[in-house]
Amino acid sequence: MKISKILLLAFFIIKLSFFAIADEGMWIPMLLQKYNIEDMQKKGFKLTAEDIYSINKASMKDAVMLFGRGCTGELISDKGLVITNHHCGYGAIQSHSSVEHDYLTNGFWAKTQADELDNPGLTVTFLVKMEDVTNDVLENINENLPEQEKQKIINDNIEKIKAEAIKGTIYEAELKPFFNGNAYYLFINKVYTDIRLVGAPPSAIGKFGGDTDNWMWPRHTGDFSLFRIYANKNNEPAKYNKDNVPFKPKKYFPISLKGFEKDDFTMVFGYPGRTQEYLSSYAVKNIMDIINPNRIKIRDTKLSIMKADMETSPKIRIQYSAKAAHVANSWKKWIGQNRGLKRLDAINKKQEFEKQLTEWINADENRKAKYGNLLPTYKKIYKTLEPLDYVEQYMFEAIFGIETINYTWKFNKLEQLEGDKQKEAIEKFKKTIHGHFKNFNLETDKKIFAALYKMYADSVPDEYQLELVKMVNKKYKGNFNKYANKIYSKSIFTDEKRLTSFLNNFSLKKLKADPFYSATMNLINIYRQKIATTTQNINFQIIDLNKKYMKAIMEYKKEKLLYPDANLTLRVTYGKINTYEPRDGVVYKYFTTLDGIIAKDNPEIYDYDVPDKLKELYKNKDYGQYADKDGTIHTCFIATNHTTGGNSGSPVINGNGELIGVNFDRNWEGTMSDIMYDPDQCRNISLDIRYALFLIDKYAGATRLIDEMTLVK
Ligand code: ARG
Ligand code: ASP
């Protein structure tokens, strides 16, 4: 078939003796043998491609998992012990926390296996095998069909292939497009559902530096937590049951205590979520000029309200810590991304590339017919899209960024359902209400409501104005606070008791009369009428364009080994331990130490309040076997692995296949790597595994966990 031929061409490598792949790239484990392994070995990897991914024998892939829905975790003992980030386990840790048992603040260490805490809803997913199914998915696709129809046939094919692949098994199937739909891979997964919390350091360690240090190097965050996978007696997935036993894995990572040096080989194996390396200059401009700046502005406002309230009470701090961290995380990433793209002169670089590509296209009549329209069409489409994208930011980032609006929207389901189905949904809602209100502070949400509606009112053109805005302008002289006071004290969606009693005596009329509900529906209607009709159509065109554009790039760059954008499938990235120069005259070292934590210590600042116990260990140099040969405890390190969101918790592996760290972040100068990677500036940030072990052993005294591990000295 045509498409696989193009792929082959794109993958074709001229094996010159000086050939080397840059550190950029997120590679498909199944294809390492074919494309990367020689390069990896040249750079210091001492094992084989089969040791990383094999369907015949135990390999590293059997020790790496998708943790929850957006992080990575890895096995570190033959008893199902898993390490991931503190920020990945945060939800679980928080769910077991209360003002009385504040595991977020104090940490949590299960004394015995019986004390490990179950986490309903938390799963880990292992890849059993993957397969290239491009030909099957694209079978019978007539390229001339409208994109919407093509997508429908593709989706039908996908569902068929998935169903077939797991018929009669306990597995789950996933099938995803690669290279913007020029290739498709099938993934057979095994999902474990009894995952228990084993240990977590206090936030003062696991979140040390908080949002202040987030996305920054130098860094000192002890960003890890420990879980254990439980299975039934046959070692298979099972729902939580106290009789379940620790999972016995095929493979787990040995842990190196030997340390590492600058330029040493490193590999990160995990689940990167999303990158967009093959965007046109028009799309990048849209991100830089419209999407990022407006989202940043809206979140500035929201965050300042959350933070101010969190400082007034420990209760609000617990309620909003995860929410604020979540809002702040992307906010800060986007700020870094825009700076990085500017610094890289990304739009000019893309335009330069597009000029060359256009010359290449125009040099051949055939190519001109196939690809000649691509860039002009992008240009036209983004011109239409920009003003709509602008309004969308205010609709979804601002108005839907108000928790009560977002929450209210969920209940729209009840309007769609009837009879027993509706009753069932009502019962389901009742079970979740308490969870929602446990982390809800009415006054905080009210302030956010007033501020973000005001922003919408001030920023969006008249034709997209909301009923609520018009009404508040008229009846309340534009005073959103005043209106908020009124509806927050009355609505069924702002009070646990009112909502419960409403659901106990459900009435559609009452639902529709609620001010939050009507405001939400009004926004949705305006969105559907004035935006979605156009954007839906455009988005289908973009899918089609992106696919052709990618194909053109693959033909044009056929001597270059290209990697597909991240799509939350298992990938390998490799590079080396390295320093970088953030500014002229400044070089950042590749590691940080406990000395740096002590230097930052300040009990007055929440993010830098070092626990006494840690200070005492430091004072006594009580480091056990975990100090580096320089005599200090190394805390974090940087390397050139190309990672993104979802890689958090990923194992960082040395040339011998041993665990040396747990990936958790990137540097601020490098967050544009999702769109354009810069080998000079992009670094992934990892926790030195020796710091984690030091904390588990010396700080927490959880030696039973150390005894389970395989330490390489
Ligand atoms: N920036 C890291 C990542 O994107 C860590 C986020 C969690 N920490 C925080 N302070 N918000 O996930
Ligand atoms: N901190 C991110 C994560 O949670 C990793 C990154 O974006 O580099 O996956």
Side-chain angles (χ1 to χ4, degrees), residues 111-294:
K111 289 230 158 48
T112 67
Q113 277 181 11
D115 301 314
E116 297 172 359
L117 301 172
D118 79 317
N119 299 285
L122 181 61
T123 60
V124 302
T125 303
F126 289 99
L127 175 65
V128 178
K129 63 172 183 186
M130 61 182 295
E131 200 183 316
D132 182 349
V133 292
T134 311
N135 291 347
D136 300 325
V137 172
L138 297 182
E139 201 176 7
N140 303 326
I141 302 287
N142 175 351
E143 276 303 320
N144 300 320
L145 284 176
E147 191 55 32
Q148 209 151 343
E149 282 171 47
K150 260 192 283 179
Q151 283 303 325
K152 196 184 166 303
I153 304 176
I154 289 175
N155 288 341
D156 289 348
N157 287 348
I158 287 177
E159 288 313 315
K160 230 171 47 205
I161 297 167
K162 275 165 59 179
E164 191 92 339
I166 51 168
K167 205 159 69 195
T169 73
I170 57 160
Y171 298 140
E172 293 187 3
E174 230 178 341
L175 206 165
K176 290 191 169 173
F178 285 66
F179 291 112
N180 293 337
N182 286 289
Y184 285 85
Y185 284 83
L186 170 69
F187 298 84
I188 305 296
N189 294 325
K190 196 167 181 179
V191 181
Y192 283 82
T193 48
D194 183 354
I195 315 299
R196 303 188 197 168
L197 177 63
V198 174
S203 293
I205 289 173
K207 217 189 153 190
F208 183 78
D211 288 336
T212 318
D213 285 6
N214 191 23
W215 298 113
M216 308 275 251
W217 182 258
R219 186 69 155 277
H220 300 90
T221 313
D223 199 344
F224 78 99
S225 57
L226 298 169
F227 288 79
R228 193 185 304 279
I229 305 171
Y230 282 77
N232 67 18
K233 301 237 151 51
N234 303 321
N235 208 32
E236 295 295 345
K239 271 204 259 173
Y240 171 79
N241 181 322
K242 70 174 180 13
D243 297 331
N244 283 348
V245 292
F247 168 62
K248 283 194 266 334
K250 281 196 265 190
K251 160 90 193 161
Y252 64 92
F253 285 103
I255 297 173
S256 170
L257 292 184
K258 288 188 293 203
F260 39 84
E261 311 280 338
K262 180 170 181 296
D263 294 327
D264 279 0
F265 173 89
T266 54
M267 163 181 148
V268 173
F269 199 10
Y271 280 87
R274 182 166 187 240
T275 58
Q276 302 171 280
E277 312 286 348
Y278 305 101
L279 291 177
S280 69
S281 61
Y282 306 101
V284 175
K285 191 164 181 303
N286 191 36
I287 293 174
M288 286 178 75
D289 292 353
I290 306 289
I291 297 181
N292 281 352
N294 287 295

Side-chain angles (χ1 to χ4, degrees), residues 87 207 210-211 214-215 219 223 325-326 328-329 645 648 664-666:
H87 78 262
K207 217 189 153 190
D211 288 336
N214 191 23
W215 298 113
R219 186 69 155 277
D223 199 344
H326 185 77
N329 195 40
S648 272
F664 71 93
D665 211 3
R666 277 169 289 159

Side-chain angles (χ1 to χ4, degrees), residues 70-71 85 87-88 215 329 333 643-648 663-666:
C71 276
N85 290 146
H87 78 262
C88 295
W215 298 113
N329 195 40
K333 178 178 73 178
T643 54
T644 188
N647 269 123
S648 272
N663 184 75
F664 71 93
D665 211 3
R666 277 169 289 159

Side-chain angles (χ1 to χ4, degrees), residues 142 209 251 391 450 469 539 558 583 615 632:
N142 175 351
K251 160 90 193 161
V391 179
V469 172
N539 286 334
K558 58 178 174 288
R583 294 182 293 284
K615 286 191 255 194
T632 65

